[in-house]
Amino acid sequence: MNGVSVEAVLFDFSGTLFDDTGVLGPPALVAAASRHGVSLDEAAAGEVIRQALAHVDSPEGFAAREGCDLSQEAHRTIWTKLIAESGLGPELTEALYECLTDPGAWRPYPDTVPVLEELHGRNVPVGVLSNIGWDIRPAFGRVGALAALDAVVLSCEHGLAKPDPALFALACARLGTEPGRTLYVGDDPVKDGAAVRAGLPVYLLPTERDARTPRGLAAVLRLVGTP
């Protein structure tokens, strides 16, 4: 850590604390589709998900998602437009978007809650800073970890998104900590790595991840308080 003593920690959300690889599942879409008046079996739901993601995750889809996390309205507008462009009707578009933003569909990695609780128990200021277009607090509340967070800073609530250094500075201000003593933990070398431009030391996690496998967050415990 280049001789810097870490006194606080900011975490990314998606792919860092909660898994992003299994959010859209056939059972959840079957239930959501039913609420919107569409009957699907799991095989058909799986095909709908593949069809939508083929477009949403295409190079054109990634480009069209620019700015989607700057507000909840922008997120809904951009994502539902992309989902509809994949060939889905309005009912399935709404059902799929509902699944994507359902806090109950996001699973924490096995080491997420224990590490957050350990830091909280040490009286280390802990926050989450996320590029996101919906409120993730219920996801933490569902697993009993919301009380361990001293600050939750969401791009959609501030009209700023990583890699903008201003968002990192705002998050440190919310924590009441100096950027140089606040570790940022994420998984994206570009968006999360940009924390260094705001003066924060950065710890990047590996790209490979699975909801069933610890994310490697225990290393953060060894870094806190270590010069």
Side-chain angles (χ1 to χ4, degrees), residues 186-204:
D187 66 308
D188 187 318
V190 176
K191 294 179 180 178
D192 296 327
V196 298
R197 293 166 50 201
L200 287 76
V202 175
Y203 181 71
L204 288 178

Side-chain angles (χ1 to χ4, degrees), residues 167-186:
L167 192 61
F168 294 101
L170 187 155
C172 290
R174 288 291 178 89
L175 273 184
T177 59
E178 293 294 324
R181 296 185 180 278
T182 304
L183 178 66
Y184 191 78
V185 182

Side-chain angles (χ1 to χ4, degrees), residues 3-93:
V4 175
S5 178
V6 173
E7 299 174 353
V9 185
L10 279 168
F11 290 94
D12 173 46
F13 170 70
S14 174
T16 297
L17 294 178
F18 282 71
D19 186 60
D20 58 336
T21 63
V23 173
L24 295 177
L29 182 57
V30 168
S34 178
R35 290 193 291 272
H36 288 273
V38 178
S39 178
L40 293 176
D41 59 24
E42 289 196 11
E47 183 54 40
V48 166
I49 292 169
R50 285 189 290 274
Q51 178 181 333
L53 291 182
H55 178 62
V56 170
D57 290 339
S58 68
E60 296 79 14
F62 272 111
R65 281 152 58 179
E66 182 69 27
C68 72
D69 294 325
L70 294 177
S71 72
Q72 292 191 21
E73 294 76 11
H75 191 273
R76 165 174 280 281
T77 297
I78 291 171
W79 274 88
T80 54
K81 181 175 185 292
L82 281 169
I83 294 169
E85 286 175 352
S86 71
L88 301 187
E91 293 83 6
L92 281 180
T93 293

